[in-house]
Amino acid sequence: MIATRSNDEVTHALADGWAVVALESTIFSNLGLPTPDNLVAYERCTAAIRAVGAVPALTCVLDGVPRAGIDEGDLERVLLGDTKVAAKDLPVAIGKRFGVGVTTVSASMAIAASVGIKVFATGGIGGVHRGSELTGDISSDLTALATYPVACVSAGAKAFLDLARTLEYLETLGVPVIGVGTDRFPAFYTRDSGLPVPHTVEGPEQAAEILAALPSIGHSGGVLFAVPIPEAAELDAERLDAALQQALDDADGADLTGPEVTPFVLGRIFEATDGQSIPANLALAENNAAVAARIAVSLATR
Ligand code: PSU
Ligand code: MN
């Protein structure tokens, strides 16, 4: 078991069985969002969680210690972090005492599970990359969803990935994929990827009922809740397609592998959309945090 440290607020909430929502830190670093939008995203997500009475727990690694909940004085270090830590990197980050490691979805779910946090909010998950039949590039976020008993709330995944294969892969791994108020898998900036999700819930209460049923059937892994971006913040799919294609072409030319690929493509998307993707990104992250918090509260009070 990981020796994770929490701040006082998270420690007390967990001891009292109160609602806690884990957050990843890659999205709040410059690997996920440019400055100062990363801080704005963090403030909006944590405020949304607190607004319904839940407690936010930012995950990261600080001085070789996995954290689920930091002290405000450490926030600046996390926002400036540039070492991406996936679940598989956690032992190295601990053993080599990384100063700051920013956690991806997979590492955040591992850390959340280690302290018993049941609900986790992110922007978008990693997935099966286009061309994975040649490169083998499939995000370990998917394996983590099958491994850790944590519900992940995400706006689907970005359309620079192969979303059809991503859903097939989750199916193979046995991860329930559940649309919240939708029967379509969302594509991050847009509400409908054109692909159906296997299951739908009306809202957070029904989502919590499903989570409560997991232990009874021996399901040991997680669940993916897919929440579409709020309508008012949705981007135009056609204009976005051109930007995504440009970003992918640039990535092809840059000869990148492994964990470098996703941050590079994200950076190119921000440039190719002239920063117009940022408000959409902030809106969906905040909305996911709010939905996750309502699920966590519903679970804690049932
Ligand atoms: N997709 C986004 N924004 C992000 C990420 C993915 O739209 O910030 C980050 C998340 O931390 C996710 C990680 O867990 O990238 C996946 O990286 P990879 O594809 O290398 O597994
Ligand atoms: Mn990858």
Side-chain angles (χ1 to χ4, degrees):
M1 195 49 87
I2 310 174
T4 298
R5 191 182 301 160
S6 293
N7 60 17
D8 287 347
E9 188 188 22
V10 171
T11 303
H12 289 137
L14 289 172
D16 295 346
W18 191 235
V20 178
V21 175
L23 294 167
E24 63 152 310
S25 46
T26 298
I27 183 179
F28 303 125
S29 76
N30 291 146
L31 299 177
L33 281 165
T35 304
D37 303 295
N38 57 340
L39 173 61
V40 175
Y42 174 79
E43 285 175 342
R44 283 174 61 174
C45 286
T46 50
I49 291 167
R50 292 188 192 286
V52 296
V55 172
L58 182 67
T59 65
C60 59
V61 176
L62 285 177
D63 303 316
V65 180
R67 305 292 300 253
I70 60 161
D71 300 319
E72 280 306 300
D74 287 321
L75 179 60
E76 185 75 15
R77 292 177 70 195
V78 180
L79 297 179
L80 293 172
D82 58 5
T83 306
K84 181 174 166 182
V85 172
K88 66 162 174 42
D89 304 315
L90 278 171
V92 181
I94 296 166
K96 291 186 70 177
R97 294 186 181 73
F98 283 14
V100 181
V102 290
T103 43
T104 65
V105 167
S106 69
S108 302
M109 290 183 72
I111 291 174
S114 73
V115 291
I117 298 175
K118 298 193 180 69
V119 186
F120 160 65
T122 183
I125 60 165
V128 178
H129 286 249
R130 295 190 199 177
S132 67
E133 60 275 27
L134 296 176
T135 63
D137 193 352
I138 298 174
S139 175
S140 61
D141 289 355
L142 303 183
T143 327
L145 282 161
T147 306
Y148 303 105
V150 176
C152 172
V153 178
S154 121
K158 285 202 171 96
F160 74 81
L161 299 167
D162 186 332
L163 297 183
R165 284 206 164 111
T166 298
L167 285 170
E168 288 292 352
Y169 202 86
L170 289 166
E171 164 108 14
T172 302
L173 289 170
V175 177
V177 178
I178 302 169
V180 180
T182 181
D183 59 1
R184 319 295 290 173
F185 191 65
F188 199 86
Y189 295 120
T190 57
R191 292 172 60 83
D192 181 0
S193 63
L195 300 162
V197 280
H199 300 287
T200 298
V201 290
E202 283 162 20
E205 291 74 25
Q206 243 180 11
E209 293 295 326
I210 289 171
L211 295 182
L214 292 176
S216 69
I217 45 89
H219 181 91
S220 56
V223 174
L224 178 60
F225 288 111
V227 179
I229 182 172
E231 254 164 81
E234 190 178 24
L235 296 186
D236 180 74
E238 270 172 37
R239 284 189 52 196
L240 194 61
D241 266 353
L244 293 181
Q245 197 49 56
Q246 182 63 52
L248 286 172
D249 290 348
D250 292 349
D252 255 356
D255 215 16
L256 301 164
T257 56
E260 297 166 346
V261 176
T262 296
F264 180 87
V265 177
L266 296 180
R268 285 304 158 113
I269 292 172
F270 293 137
E271 286 167 23
T273 54
D274 235 359
Q276 283 180 17
S277 60
I278 303 269
N281 214 323
L282 299 184
L284 69 84
E286 176 182 29
N287 188 52
N288 292 346
V291 171
R294 285 194 207 103
I295 295 173
V297 169
S298 188
L299 196 60
T301 52
R302 65 187 295 287

